Amino acid sequence: MNNKITLKKLQKMKIQKQKIVMITAYDALFASIFDKSVDIILVGDSLNMSFSGENDTLSATMDQMIYHTKAVTKKTDKTFVLFDMPFGSYTDKKKALKNATRAYQETGVDAVKLEGGREKAKIVKYLTKNAIAVFGHIGLKPQSVRSEGGYSIKGRDSKEKDDIIKNAIALEKAGAVALIIEGVKPDVAFEVTNSVNIPVIGIGAGVDCDGQVLVWSDMLGFYDEFMPKFVKQYLDGGKLVGDAVEEYVKDVKSGEFPNLDYTY
Ligand code: KIV
């Protein structure tokens, strides 16, 4: 398909300073809506929280991610689709390749994403050598929530800032095709964006990245258990759906629905 977003187009967007827009999606219905306007759909392991009702992303499995990604790729023509490697699926390079190959073969996805900095460079290099396109995910890493005892902003002091920049450079050197940077002060994201030649997509990282990503259920108001400061809510989806369903219940209880308009 001609207008399909490719890695080359994403790279060009960085050079031409056109912002890249990424959103998460976990199913065919929403993917087909988002496909009309966004550049990248991330099938994020955040689905483990908003869709599966878990407290964090750590119990998401390869089977679960493949199921959801297949639904997304079925209904996307134009958008670049990114597969989030779940916790424990890339602990060594052989395991990472086996799982990333599954993602490529079973879902038709365009690239995979994994969390980590220079400690993951060897894995990124190995995947890249084996024709898998890899997005790195640095800064706040949601899969580290238990080992770190919570979510916290990264890059608060110069040591942490240097560390994040070194991670970005090491991942680019290892062959990463793009980076996601999460939960950092804007000056850190600015430096990272200007230190590498690959696109840098921010979430909770200020305005200076090459693009932005948000979790769809947060920005459309369907998930209110935890609402970070960086989420702009574009729709009060939970309330709209709740009100519509209440109206349906009222209509059924009162015998208003189905009237003759809805009857054969
Ligand atoms: O899983 C996810 O949705 C993500 C985003 C927070 C970038 O990794």
Side-chain angles (χ1 to χ4, degrees):
M1 143 135 330
N2 251 351
N3 63 346
K4 163 89 183 167
I5 306 284
T6 59
L7 282 174
K8 273 194 187 142
K9 281 195 189 167
L10 294 174
Q11 187 62 48
K12 202 165 158 194
M13 287 172 85
K14 173 169 178 120
I15 293 165
Q16 295 181 340
K17 299 207 179 306
Q18 290 171 32
K19 293 282 186 182
I20 297 167
V21 185
M22 184 192 291
I23 192 169
T24 65
Y26 317 130
D27 66 279
L29 189 63
F30 278 89
S32 65
I33 298 171
F34 303 155
D35 189 49
K36 295 186 177 87
S37 52
V38 304
D39 300 306
I40 306 178
I41 288 179
L42 165 65
V43 188
D45 60 359
S46 52
L47 62 81
N48 207 44
M49 297 166 80
S50 51
F51 261 50
S52 301
E54 300 292 342
N55 288 330
D56 58 36
T57 61
L58 276 70
S59 55
T61 63
M62 275 302 293
D63 285 346
Q64 197 182 343
M65 296 306 298
I66 281 178
Y67 170 86
H68 287 276
T69 309
K70 263 173 143 169
V72 168
T73 50
K74 256 186 220 157
K75 291 291 177 187
T76 43
D77 286 329
K78 163 198 144 267
T79 314
F80 188 95
V81 183
L82 182 58
F83 181 96
D84 208 1
M85 299 285 284
F87 180 69
S89 68
Y90 52 97
T91 45
D92 62 63
K93 60 184 192 178
K94 290 262 152 64
K95 191 172 186 181
L97 181 60
K98 186 167 167 263
N99 284 321
T101 302
R102 255 196 90 189
Y104 259 36
Q105 290 186 326
E106 295 179 35
T107 72
V109 81
D110 296 300
V112 304
K113 168 172 92 64
L114 53 84
E115 293 182 15
R118 48 197 186 280
E119 77 285 0
K120 291 286 184 288
K122 276 194 184 138
I123 292 175
V124 171
K125 194 168 180 184
Y126 191 65
L127 293 181
T128 306
K129 271 191 174 167
N130 284 282
I132 308 274
V134 184
F135 279 48
H137 183 149
I138 56 174
L140 187 159
K141 293 167 287 170
Q143 292 177 5
S144 300
V145 62
R146 292 191 207 162
S147 59
E148 291 184 0
Y151 300 105
S152 65
I153 300 299
K154 306 293 176 201
R156 284 179 187 273
D157 56 38
S158 59
K159 191 171 163 285
E160 266 188 27
K161 184 173 170 178
D162 280 358
D163 195 56
I164 294 172
I165 295 166
K166 277 186 190 144
N167 282 336
I169 293 169
L171 289 169
E172 179 183 37
K173 212 170 148 207
V177 294
L179 297 175
I180 287 182
I181 185 161
E182 178 166 359
V184 298
K185 293 279 185 183
D187 60 311
V188 182
F190 174 83
E191 287 251 356
V192 165
T193 306
N194 289 294
S195 302
V196 295
N197 295 306
I198 51 177
V200 178
I201 318 287
I203 174 163
V207 74
D208 291 314
C209 305
D210 299 309
Q212 296 291 327
V213 53
L214 282 176
V215 171
W216 81 268
S217 42
D218 294 344
M219 63 161 296
L220 298 182
F222 284 98
Y223 186 76
D224 53 13
E225 277 174 40
F226 170 65
M227 189 58 84
K229 177 181 163 68
F230 61 78
V231 176
K232 179 172 176 185
Q233 200 178 307
Y234 287 84
L235 187 77
D236 198 354
K239 178 162 176 2
L240 286 173
V241 171
D243 289 352
V245 173
E246 260 179 40
E247 209 178 312
Y248 164 61
V249 170
K250 233 190 278 162
D251 281 359
V252 172
K253 300 262 187 208
S254 66
E256 189 73 24
F257 177 82
N259 63 18
L260 287 179
D261 290 346
Y262 302 100
T263 307
Y264 290 111

